[in-house]
Amino acid sequence: MTPAFVYSALPMRVRFGAGSLAGLPDEVAGLGLSRVLVLCSPEQQATGQLVADALGSRAAGVLPGARMHVPIETAQAARDSARRLGADGCVAVGGGSAVGLGKAVALTHGLPVIAVPTTYAGSEMTPIWGLTEGGVKRTGRDPRVLPVSVLYDPALTVSLPPGLSATSGINAIAHAVEGLYAPDASPIISLMAEEGVRALAAALPAVVADGTDLDARGDAQYGAWLCGAVLGATTMSLHHKLCHALGGALDLPHAQTHTVVLPHALAYNAPAAPRAVAALARALGGAGDPAHALWALAGRLGAPRSLRELGMPEAAVGRIVDLAIGSPYANPRPVTRDGVTALLRAAWAGEPPAAG
Ligand code: NAD
């Protein structure tokens, strides 16, 4: 039986394919924009400049100021630059940090954002913004920050190092996992989630083996697109809550933290989410427990599998548990102190996830 559901489509245009960056000037012109500010992180300044050069006179400038979790100071600097340069839109080139900076400008200035993603984080497909002030990250949903147009060019991802390719890809898979058991899941989103996990799990070993393999890069980015769309359409649960707490309280790296926690969070929720488990088992090759399959995938990719190796002190487990159980949120299985403590201890030590 198909359960009742509500599905809202998000208005957005996607251009996909190797070489599609060449279509960016048309994309900008088609939106009626004539002075866009290019945003990127300092490490990707050369890519940002490449994009600005391709845009010619339609580029108002390049601001290489994006930082993880969008510190308020960087948001303010980007807003000031946009105003000073008379920008009528932003092109955010990079990972979730660059896209997040574009969203911060859109939030206050209402400028349209065109996203050119170079990681698999998925922010480009969501109306979710984040801003960090005084060490505290606030997030919210606002239709104004949803990029109007997204250009996926796998050629821009070949420089993503193997380690970050693996963890960023598993970060994307995490969106699909939680979308499959979300309170606002819907049949079309579940199809996208299953296909996104299948595409990424199949592509990531090839991407890590040879980062210049454009076919594998394209398959991984296709999966990341689908998983990002799932993130944009559904409400996340325990896994994302835990990663948010670990990132915010301990400054652990984003994609790596997702990679370590995901098998454990899925194992915790699996008994209460049989449809999600069946979809993930299909996506991951049909056999066995999907939580264990994801843990094994991380191992095969050489990705971290313990919070200890990410620098988390064991003594911090209690604090993270407090944060994760502090306020109520939707989760398929009741979130208990004992349950989350056991989950985090296993993730900290790098043990395999609990058997389902
Ligand atoms: P990131 O954007 O910080 O990128 C990580 C590093 O990789 C940076 O140094 C960057 O310059 C570099 N990099 C990116 N692409 C590269 C490439 N192709 N080649 C070489 N280097 C490259 O990290 P991320 O994991 O993409 O994004 C994480 C941030 O995004 C977090 O702040 C997270 O909270 C946010 N996020 C938000 C949403 C949302 O919906 N709002 C969704 C996912 C992530």
Side-chain angles (χ1 to χ4, degrees), residues 41 43-44 68-70 94-98 103 118-119 121-123 126 128-130 137 156-157 159-161 164 168 171 175 231 254-255:
S41 54
E43 302 82 4
Q44 288 187 287
M68 189 82 85
H69 305 311
V70 197
S97 299
K103 288 175 167 183
T118 65
T119 70
S123 177
T126 85
I128 306 164
W129 55 266
K137 183 169 178 180
L156 291 174
T157 63
S159 53
L160 195 63
L164 193 50
S168 189
N171 179 196
H175 309 328
L231 176 67
H254 179 80

Side-chain angles (χ1 to χ4, degrees), residues 119-185:
T119 70
Y120 307 131
S123 177
E124 68 281 357
M125 294 305 294
T126 85
I128 306 164
W129 55 266
L131 279 171
T132 303
E133 190 166 10
V136 179
K137 183 169 178 180
R138 287 182 299 127
T139 60
R141 278 182 184 258
D142 192 311
R144 280 178 303 174
V145 308
L146 181 74
V148 290
S149 182
V150 180
L151 204 144
Y152 286 105
D153 189 337
L156 291 174
T157 63
V158 297
S159 53
L160 195 63
L164 193 50
S165 297
T167 55
S168 189
I170 296 178
N171 179 196
I173 289 176
H175 309 328
V177 167
E178 294 230 293
L180 281 165
Y181 55 59
D184 40 8

Side-chain angles (χ1 to χ4, degrees), residues 55-135:
L55 287 170
S57 63
R58 289 189 191 275
V62 179
L63 184 69
R67 291 267 170 230
M68 189 82 85
H69 305 311
V70 197
I72 189 75
E73 300 76 21
T74 65
Q76 207 45 57
R79 290 164 178 166
D80 292 347
S81 288
R83 183 162 290 138
R84 195 180 61 251
L85 294 166
D88 56 5
C90 292
V91 174
V93 189
S97 299
V99 176
L101 189 57
K103 288 175 167 183
V105 177
L107 192 62
T108 51
H109 291 16
L111 297 187
V113 178
I114 298 175
V116 184
T118 65
T119 70
Y120 307 131
S123 177
E124 68 281 357
M125 294 305 294
T126 85
I128 306 164
W129 55 266
L131 279 171
T132 303
E133 190 166 10

